[in-house]
Amino acid sequence: MEEKQTPFQAAVRPGLTIGLISVALTYVAYFVDSTMLASGWFGLVALVVFFVLIIYFGRQYRTELGGFMTFGTAFNFSFITMIISGLISLVGQILLFQVIDPALPGVLADQSLQNTLEIMERFGASADSMTPEQMDEIRNRTLDNFSMTGQVKNFGIGLIIYAIIALILGAILKKRDKSLDY
């Protein structure tokens, strides 16, 4: 009889796959137009791809388990998958921002500031209403997020977000065997 994988064992391959896809998307966006990395829609597309792939791999794992999976197993699978893919993405981003193109954080900080000003104008606020010190503060905070420490700190904060997403995915992926009800 074939031994079934634990959620951790089952999550390794999907985590590696999703992490590598995430790094590939980031690098493709960088090579096409690096300012895309600062756009909201790029993040949204990456998030949708992330969700779809985890659901796809989660359903495969559920099928491997016989078509049923508890919420706890689904949560563990999703959370571990996201941690592994997040670690791979973190390494890829550190390489991009610290080794390949150390000037890129400055470009993205400027683009993020520009995006913020455009959003303010859409809501009726004038960009002139901000002092140069406030704009420098926004730019510097954004720039800090791209430092090695900032990226590791953001990953730590991301773990909380991963847990919340894993709760949602656990609810989507779980399927109980109703034949066991009596």
Side-chain angles (χ1 to χ4, degrees):
M1 183 161 102
E2 187 177 315
E3 199 171 307
K4 294 188 173 143
Q5 293 181 343
T6 65
F8 179 80
Q9 293 168 328
V12 171
R13 194 185 96 246
L16 291 171
T17 303
I18 294 169
L20 291 173
I21 289 171
S22 174
V23 169
L25 285 174
T26 301
Y27 280 76
V28 166
Y30 167 71
F31 289 121
V32 170
D33 179 11
S34 62
T35 59
M36 285 193 326
L37 296 172
S39 71
W41 68 266
F42 178 77
L44 185 62
V45 167
L47 187 64
V48 168
V49 168
F50 193 67
F51 261 96
V52 168
L53 287 173
I54 291 175
I55 290 171
Y56 172 76
F57 287 120
R59 287 189 174 166
Q60 278 185 334
Y61 179 51
R62 185 175 68 195
T63 301
E64 178 186 315
L65 293 175
F68 303 103
M69 184 164 41
T70 65
F71 174 79
T73 302
F75 170 79
N76 288 336
F77 172 82
S78 301
F79 189 57
I80 294 165
T81 299
M82 286 187 277
I83 289 173
I84 292 169
S85 68
L87 286 170
I88 291 170
S89 295
L90 176 66
V91 169
Q93 289 177 5
I94 287 172
L95 284 172
L96 179 61
F97 297 133
Q98 309 303 320
V99 178
I100 296 171
D101 191 353
L104 183 60
V107 171
L108 295 179
D110 291 338
Q111 185 63 42
S112 293
L113 179 60
Q114 184 64 35
N115 292 348
T116 301
L117 295 175
E118 288 173 7
I119 290 170
M120 286 176 55
E121 289 175 359
R122 279 190 224 135
F123 284 105
S126 172
D128 297 332
S129 65
M130 289 181 67
T131 65
E133 292 81 22
Q134 289 173 320
M135 291 203 279
D136 285 342
E137 177 64 26
I138 292 171
R139 186 183 185 285
N140 289 335
R141 269 191 275 142
T142 304
L143 199 53
D144 287 344
N145 287 332
F146 294 109
S147 70
M148 179 89 72
T149 306
Q151 288 179 306
V152 172
K153 183 176 80 173
N154 288 339
F155 178 75
I157 293 168
L159 289 175
I160 297 167
I161 296 167
Y162 290 165
I164 294 168
I165 293 172
L167 288 170
I168 294 166
L169 290 169
I172 292 170
L173 292 171
K174 73 172 174 68
K175 186 174 182 183
R176 68 183 184 129
D177 187 356
K178 294 179 183 174
S179 68
L180 299 176
D181 292 344
Y182 46 88

